[in-house]
Amino acid sequence: MADTKKIAVIAGDGIGPEVVAEAIKVMKKTEELYGLSFEFEHGLFGGIAIDEKGTPLPQETLDMCKAADAVLLGAVGGPKWDNNPKELRPETGLLGIRKALGLFSNIRPAKIFDCLKDASTLKPEVLEGTDLIVVRELTGGIYFGDKFRREGANGEEAVDTCVYNVHEVERIVRQAFEIARTRRKKLASVDKANVLETSRLWREVVNRIAPEYPDVELEHVLVDNCAMQLLRRPASFDVIVTENMFGDILSDEAAMLTGSIGMLSSASLGEGAFGLYEPVHGSAPDIAGQGIANPIATILSVALMYRLTFGYHEAAQSIEDAVASVLDAGHRTADIATDRSKAVGTQQMGDLIVAAMK
Amino acid sequence: MADTKKIAVIAGDGIGPEVVAEAIKVMKKTEELYGLSFEFEHGLFGGIAIDEKGTPLPQETLDMCKAADAVLLGAVGGPKWDNNPKELRPETGLLGIRKALGLFSNIRPAKIFDCLKDASTLKPEVLEGTDLIVVRELTGGIYFGDKFRREGANGEEAVDTCVYNVHEVERIVRQAFEIARTRRKKLASVDKANVLETSRLWREVVNRIAPEYPDVELEHVLVDNCAMQLLRRPASFDVIVTENMFGDILSDEAAMLTGSIGMLSSASLGEGAFGLYEPVHGSAPDIAGQGIANPIATILSVALMYRLTFGYHEAAQSIEDAVASVLDAGHRTADIATDRSKAVGTQQMGDLIVAAMK
Ligand SMILES: [Mg+2]
Ligand SMILES: [Mg+2]
């Protein structure tokens, strides 16, 4: 029997609680099947925390997350809080928790499920075998640099500053090399080193670290070329590592390759094994409470947690295989159904996946 | 008979002279068919100018361009000059000529030819009707801002600065609105206004100018979302306008949608009607002098010149229709041929297009 792992569960708003409930069912099934052991603690976060505690990120929730081995997050936000002042917006809680937990990377797998290939706008034969991960730096770059207005020689101007230091690049590049090692051992580092100084620093660091990972095949790709190559040869990528803004753009492009945002998992990582796991989709307030949300992205986030935080690769594989087999059997939630009248609900999808696990 | 227009022809290196020769044949045919009149002057530029004049952009070439109504450029560069010092590189000539001519936007159409739809990695039914233009700001933004290294609190760091002033945004946004007016009257302005100050300035200017173009339908799209939407609904875009780096990435993604870089035209524009027109593809030194290069991108650049600089829409349409009909008839240069043994050469492709013009 494995050590008991503490999971902080912050289900959040909208469909968050519904999809998280199914993910927990799946985790419990892996306790049974693989002798794993989890202790779940639940905390308020996002809009619901604003309503009940007057802040999107209550101190007790943060303390609970800090004491946990991993965090499972549902979704946050909704129209109810959209016009709140900044410190009372659910998204502010998200930024706050990432910062407080020292999470500096966002991990987004884009994997094609065979039976959902038709959902993509790309040709099935191009997508064949696509299984990539985008590792995006999350705390630096132009999104966080100084930004201001000033009077210039030609009138009003706006300025954004993009800054990266060696340490910031080094820690995420190392993380990406480590992840590549657990996969197909290929790393594509994306920059714009022919133009940008931050990219030249980025590439220097990558080239300095690369010899420590002789088993990983490294390629440097310019960001504009990468936007092309994702369309031309998606299956050739394994792990893509890049800075904050490039990662924002490329991870969304990669997500669209799959054709089904409702299926995509993600992780935010810091130093060490700790991570926060959540579906890429949002809180979908329009369908909240109806029992029709697709829980697969959250369930796949659990598989990602098992791989990246706990090294439970066998149990992760079991979850991923179960999802694939349920889809192969033709079961669909409404968001991915071609015939919505035959769609299964959130709980039914969770049950089907649990039943398919071996 | 129309006024005589002065065309500065800078054929450049590699396949440049071969493809430009076919474009000129096409222009001469439009003189015949539409009563147009051109005066061609030829100048040295790029690698050949380095070899013969010791500089990639000789003063007499620049003077010739300045005195012309439009510039037709083939391609520049090649391995011969790749290791030259910066001021003796062909690409430096390209930056220099854009600057000297006050060109601040780059225009890249991405149009799908029905008979080449299969060349794309996207599904034909998704691409159906795709005919968009990316208008990219070319002189500002992070590529041209201050860039440097410094010692920060956490060691060495690199900095890039992104700057835009109101005037720079205003002139390109106006240009994009004007171009949209000659087309399907839809403009998508791409920014990252939820994060960047330069993007907020950009969006303010767009919103201030928009009421002057009530006939043009405007949408704001965040850059990461645009990278997705180009894959999801490419045919819904007409004109996309954006800042330098976003345009660099998105125009390449849009180019890849078409599946055939060898077919893509481009323009660089400044204030007024003057423009520089060139194929997107490079000088292809590996096939230079063999008479097998595809002249269609350069020929379509002439059609773009007719539309954007001269307003010769009828003659432009004639060129575009002729290209489509020659492709529909199954003629292909080697780069786009499925059976290369049946491929036609550069001159033959030019002749076929000239013969198909009405
Ligand atoms: Mg994004
Ligand atoms: Mg580019």
Side-chain angles (χ1 to χ4, degrees):
Chain A
M1 178 114 169
D3 283 354
T4 297
K5 304 292 187 187
K6 272 198 192 167
I7 310 296
V9 179
I10 45 181
D13 308 314
I15 61 172
E18 298 164 66
V19 294
V20 160
E22 301 313 305
I24 290 175
K25 277 203 294 207
V26 165
M27 293 180 77
K28 289 191 165 150
K29 180 72 176 184
T30 61
E31 290 185 306
E32 222 175 274
L33 289 173
Y34 294 92
L36 308 180
S37 173
F38 299 105
E39 195 183 303
F40 298 95
E41 282 195 275
H42 297 260
L44 293 174
F45 183 62
I48 187 172
I50 294 170
D51 289 351
E52 300 195 10
K53 301 281 178 179
T55 168
L57 176 56
Q59 186 61 44
E60 59 262 41
T61 298
L62 185 57
D63 292 342
M64 181 190 84
C65 290
K66 281 184 172 167
D69 296 300
V71 180
L72 181 62
L73 170 62
V76 294
K80 185 176 172 187
W81 307 281
D82 273 354
N83 297 314
N84 279 10
K86 199 173 173 194
E87 69 281 8
L88 288 183
R89 274 198 230 139
E91 298 72 24
T92 305
L94 216 43
L95 281 173
I97 200 169
R98 282 188 180 142
K99 193 166 174 161
L101 297 174
L103 306 177
F104 59 77
S105 76
N106 189 247
I107 313 283
R108 296 252 302 252
K111 184 178 169 174
I112 307 298
F113 284 89
D114 255 0
C115 62
L116 289 179
K117 269 195 301 203
D118 285 343
S120 173
T121 58
L122 265 74
K123 291 174 178 162
E125 65 270 26
V126 177
L127 285 175
E128 188 75 46
T130 296
D131 177 5
L132 65 88
I133 283 188
V134 179
V135 178
R136 166 186 171 190
E137 206 288 328
L138 212 51
T139 66
I142 196 165
Y143 289 178
F144 290 96
D146 283 346
K147 26 188 68 53
F148 53 90
R149 300 279 174 111
R150 70 184 178 204
E151 275 303 307
N154 295 300
E156 185 184 8
E157 57 191 31
V159 181
D160 290 289
T161 320
C162 181
V163 185
Y164 269 106
N165 66 45
V166 169
H167 168 69
E168 288 169 317
V169 178
E170 199 166 321
R171 65 186 181 178
I172 190 153
V173 167
R174 258 180 224 288
Q175 192 180 73
F177 269 114
E178 294 290 343
I179 293 172
R181 254 191 184 161
T182 69
R183 293 172 45 96
R184 299 200 311 280
K185 299 183 172 50
K186 289 167 64 174
L187 182 64
S189 171
V190 175
D191 61 34
K192 187 74 185 178
N194 55 341
V195 186
L196 299 181
E197 197 60 35
T198 48
S199 283
R200 283 188 278 264
L201 178 82
W202 181 281
R203 192 174 286 209
E204 283 167 22
V205 172
V206 172
N207 284 333
R208 175 163 56 75
I209 289 173
E212 297 174 38
Y213 300 87
D215 51 326
V216 177
E217 184 193 322
L218 170 68
E219 68 169 329
H220 296 285
V221 189
L222 295 175
V223 59
D224 48 336
N225 188 32
C226 191
M228 299 176 92
Q229 299 306 326
L230 277 173
L231 301 189
R232 210 171 73 93
R233 51 174 180 97
S236 78
F237 290 102
D238 179 15
V239 178
I240 294 173
V241 64
T242 190
E243 63 95 63
N244 201 344
M245 191 175 71
F246 295 161
D248 188 16
I249 298 170
L250 295 177
S251 63
D252 279 343
E253 184 183 347
M256 191 47 80
L257 292 180
T258 69
S260 39
I261 298 279
M263 306 283 294
L264 298 176
S265 60
S266 81
S268 298
L269 304 179
E271 306 280 2
F274 180 87
L276 178 150
Y277 297 84
E278 63 183 314
V280 166
H281 63 66
S283 61
D286 52 317
I287 60 160
Q290 298 178 33
I292 61 171
N294 184 348
I296 292 180
T298 316
I299 289 169
L300 290 174
S301 299
V302 168
L304 197 59
M305 177 197 292
Y306 284 11
R307 291 192 187 278
L308 298 178
T309 289
F310 300 129
Y312 296 160
H313 293 283
E314 215 187 340
Q317 194 64 50
S318 163
I319 296 171
E320 289 160 356
D321 290 348
V323 169
S325 79
V326 168
L327 291 171
D328 282 342
H331 303 293
R332 302 279 188 276
T333 43
D335 58 312
I336 52 173
T338 38
D339 179 356
R340 293 177 72 120
S341 70
K342 294 191 186 139
V344 305
T346 310
Q347 290 186 16
Q348 200 183 343
M349 180 54 90
D351 292 340
L352 284 161
I353 291 167
V354 166
M357 286 170 64
K358 314 188 255 244
Chain B
M1 179 110 170
D3 284 354
T4 296
K5 304 292 186 186
K6 273 197 191 169
I7 309 296
V9 179
I10 46 182
D13 308 315
I15 60 172
E18 298 164 66
V19 294
V20 160
E22 301 313 305
I24 290 175
K25 277 204 290 208
V26 165
M27 293 179 79
K28 290 192 165 148
K29 181 70 176 185
T30 61
E31 291 185 306
E32 221 174 90
L33 289 172
Y34 294 91
L36 308 180
S37 172
F38 298 105
E39 196 184 302
F40 299 96
E41 282 194 275
H42 295 260
L44 293 174
F45 183 62
I48 187 173
I50 295 169
D51 289 350
E52 299 195 11
K53 302 280 176 179
T55 169
L57 177 55
Q59 187 60 44
E60 59 262 38
T61 298
L62 186 55
D63 291 343
M64 181 190 83
C65 291
K66 282 184 172 167
D69 296 298
V71 180
L72 181 63
L73 170 62
V76 294
K80 184 175 172 189
W81 306 283
D82 273 353
N83 297 316
N84 278 10
K86 199 173 173 193
E87 70 281 7
L88 288 183
R89 274 198 229 139
E91 299 72 24
T92 305
L94 216 44
L95 280 174
I97 200 169
R98 282 187 180 141
K99 193 163 175 166
L101 297 174
L103 306 176
F104 59 77
S105 77
N106 189 248
I107 313 283
R108 297 249 302 249
K111 184 178 169 173
I112 309 297
F113 284 91
D114 255 2
C115 61
L116 289 179
K117 270 195 299 204
D118 286 343
S120 173
T121 58
L122 265 74
K123 290 173 179 163
E125 65 269 26
V126 176
L127 284 175
E128 187 74 47
T130 295
D131 177 6
L132 64 86
I133 283 188
V134 179
V135 177
R136 167 186 171 191
E137 206 288 329
L138 212 53
T139 66
I142 197 166
Y143 289 178
F144 289 96
D146 283 347
K147 26 188 69 51
F148 52 90
R149 300 279 175 112
R150 68 184 178 202
E151 274 304 306
N154 295 299
E156 185 184 9
E157 58 190 31
V159 182
D160 290 289
T161 320
C162 181
V163 185
Y164 269 106
N165 66 46
V166 169
H167 167 68
E168 287 170 318
V169 178
E170 200 167 319
R171 64 186 181 179
I172 190 155
V173 167
R174 257 179 225 289
Q175 193 179 72
F177 269 115
E178 293 290 342
I179 292 171
R181 254 192 183 161
T182 68
R183 294 172 45 96
R184 299 201 310 282
K185 299 184 172 48
K186 290 168 63 176
L187 181 64
S189 170
V190 175
D191 60 35
K192 188 74 183 176
N194 55 341
V195 186
L196 300 180
E197 196 59 36
T198 47
S199 283
R200 283 189 277 265
L201 179 81
W202 181 280
R203 192 175 285 208
E204 284 167 21
V205 171
V206 172
N207 284 333
R208 176 164 54 75
I209 290 173
E212 297 173 37
Y213 299 86
D215 51 325
V216 177
E217 185 192 323
L218 170 69
E219 67 170 329
H220 296 285
V221 189
L222 295 175
V223 59
D224 48 336
N225 188 32
C226 191
M228 300 177 91
Q229 299 307 326
L230 277 173
L231 301 189
R232 210 170 73 93
R233 51 174 179 96
S236 78
F237 290 102
D238 179 16
V239 178
I240 294 172
V241 64
T242 190
E243 62 95 62
N244 200 345
M245 192 176 70
F246 296 161
D248 188 17
I249 298 170
L250 295 177
S251 63
D252 279 344
E253 184 183 347
M256 190 48 82
L257 292 179
T258 69
S260 37
I261 299 278
M263 306 283 293
L264 298 176
S265 60
S266 81
S268 299
L269 303 180
E271 306 280 3
F274 180 87
L276 179 151
Y277 296 84
E278 62 182 314
V280 166
H281 63 67
S283 61
D286 52 318
I287 60 160
Q290 298 177 32
I292 61 170
N294 185 348
I296 291 179
T298 316
I299 288 168
L300 290 174
S301 298
V302 168
L304 197 59
M305 178 197 292
Y306 284 12
R307 290 192 187 277
L308 297 179
T309 290
F310 300 129
Y312 295 161
H313 294 285
E314 213 188 342
Q317 195 63 50
S318 163
I319 295 171
E320 289 160 357
D321 290 348
V323 168
S325 79
V326 167
L327 291 170
D328 282 342
H331 304 293
R332 301 279 187 276
T333 43
D335 59 312
I336 53 171
T338 39
D339 179 357
R340 292 177 71 118
S341 70
K342 291 190 186 141
V344 304
T346 310
Q347 289 186 16
Q348 200 182 344
M349 181 54 90
D351 291 340
L352 283 162
I353 291 167
V354 165
M357 285 169 64
K358 308 189 259 241

